Amino acid sequence: MRIRATVAAVSGALALSALAVPAAQAAGGTAQDGDYRADAAKIARAANDRAPGKPYDLNVTFSDFKVAKAIKVGTGAHVSRTVTYTLTHDADVNVKAADFLTAPYLYRGDFTAPSAVPLMGNNPATCKATSATTAACTGKIDIYPAQDDLLNRDAGTWKGAALAIDYNGQDPDGFDFDITKVGYADQGNLGTALIQRASLLTVDATPEPVKKGATLTVAGKLSIANWETHKYSGYANQSVKLQFRTKNATSYTTVKTIKSAAGGVLKTTVKASADGYYRYSFAGNVAVPAVNAAGDLVDVQ
């Protein structure tokens, strides 16, 4: 299981030092994957250290950061999203060097004091030079809810950031490692993405068949992913629309709006009028995505 740690009040990717890096292996990565994250955390910590020995400021900036606007995360399955961005660098920085790496990540809250453990990819980004001083980079954000990557309170808006490290031939695990010869760049507030607790919605109209004009009871349940118990739990006190479409129609019309009860339970009654489909529809919010139940066909006789 991934071990979460409290994020220190430090700048940007320095919060990477709070990551339990070996979890890259536990979550499905390789030892090599974990090394990149460990090294990034090591360099980040040193960059914030007041001691004389720290990496120099690498002349690299980031722009055009693009990631999915919303990332739905359930209770167990690995979620991976592609991130693209532009890396701009001085002419003397070789982004194709074997010991140069860059990676995107997502952080929550303030860049100088993130409120959650940042989310990164299992591997560094790959970059293709587009000019002598720019490169188009593609990376990943990998999320493992079953490994405790997220707490329920982490749902909502996250911000994009990217880092770059130029080792210049230095081996972080070597005896003669000189961190002052390593270049480091880190930039936040590059974009935003919603990380949301995945939602489920059901519907069941009874009795079936039903006589025209008789009372029809429409039940259902609204549930959302609980990242701490790794199960779906009922989502109470939410406005949910009951919708209907006739059998041959293509669109639904809202019949009424009700509130989900304890445990996310939904229940209301309507008068049966014609053959057609009933469904519940939830509009969603910042923390939970919109969801529609599959329509339940009712035969009216």
Side-chain angles (χ1 to χ4, degrees):
M1 179 175 288
R2 184 179 293 261
I3 301 172
R4 293 182 56 98
T6 301
V7 180
V10 294
S11 175
L14 303 181
L16 298 175
S17 61
L19 283 169
V21 177
Q25 296 103 358
T30 66
Q32 184 177 2
D33 298 335
D35 289 343
Y36 124 75
R37 295 159 66 107
D39 290 348
K42 183 176 183 179
I43 302 303
R45 284 195 299 270
N48 195 48
D49 199 330
R50 295 183 180 179
K54 64 179 184 179
Y56 66 85
D57 292 331
L58 186 63
N59 289 320
V60 166
T61 59
F62 309 93
S63 60
D64 301 322
F65 188 98
K66 293 182 175 63
V67 64
K69 292 182 179 179
I71 303 173
K72 302 175 186 179
V73 181
T75 58
H78 164 222
V79 176
S80 182
R81 292 294 182 271
T82 298
V83 180
T84 60
Y85 56 97
T86 297
L87 185 153
T88 302
H89 58 90
D90 278 359
D92 61 351
V93 176
N94 181 9
V95 299
K96 300 304 292 183
D99 60 355
F100 177 93
L101 72 81
T102 179
Y105 66 96
L106 297 177
Y107 67 97
R108 183 150 167 79
D110 193 283
F111 187 59
T112 59
S115 60
V117 176
L119 300 170
M120 299 184 72
N122 287 334
N123 297 285
T126 58
C127 298
K128 181 179 180 180
T130 52
S131 76
T133 58
T134 60
C137 301
T138 301
K140 295 280 189 180
I141 299 296
D142 290 291
I143 305 173
Y144 295 87
Q147 302 295 333
D148 294 335
D149 272 3
L150 296 164
L151 298 177
N152 291 334
R153 66 170 182 252
D154 295 334
T157 301
W158 287 62
K159 299 173 185 177
L163 61 84
I165 301 175
D166 193 344
Y167 287 101
N168 294 305
Q170 295 297 308
D171 179 3
D173 298 320
F175 178 76
D176 57 352
F177 175 60
D178 185 351
I179 199 169
T180 64
K181 294 180 180 179
V182 176
Y184 177 76
D186 178 29
Q187 185 178 339
N189 204 30
L190 298 177
T192 61
L194 291 178
I195 297 183
Q196 299 177 304
R197 297 167 65 179
S199 51
L200 300 174
L201 191 54
T202 63
V203 66
D204 183 27
T206 57
E208 298 181 61
V210 63
K211 290 184 178 181
K212 186 174 182 178
T215 298
L216 192 66
T217 299
V218 187
K221 184 176 180 179
L222 175 63
S223 304
I224 59 174
N226 187 318
W227 293 331
E228 296 168 21
T229 64
H230 311 301
K231 299 178 181 179
Y232 279 82
S233 55
Y235 196 23
N237 199 34
Q238 301 300 308
S239 293
V240 180
K241 294 178 180 178
L242 174 64
Q243 299 181 325
F244 175 76
R245 71 174 174 89
T246 57
K247 191 172 183 180
N248 297 319
T250 58
S251 61
Y252 281 88
T253 299
T254 298
V255 177
K256 63 172 70 174
T257 299
I258 65 172
K259 289 272 190 178
S260 56
V265 171
L266 300 164
K267 189 173 183 180
T268 190
T269 60
V270 295
K271 295 296 184 181
S273 59
D275 292 351
Y277 296 86
Y278 285 91
R279 76 174 186 184
Y280 280 115
S281 178
F282 174 60
N285 53 49
V286 170
V288 179
V291 62
N292 293 319
D296 185 17
L297 177 61
V298 174
D299 178 19
V300 178
Q301 297 179 347

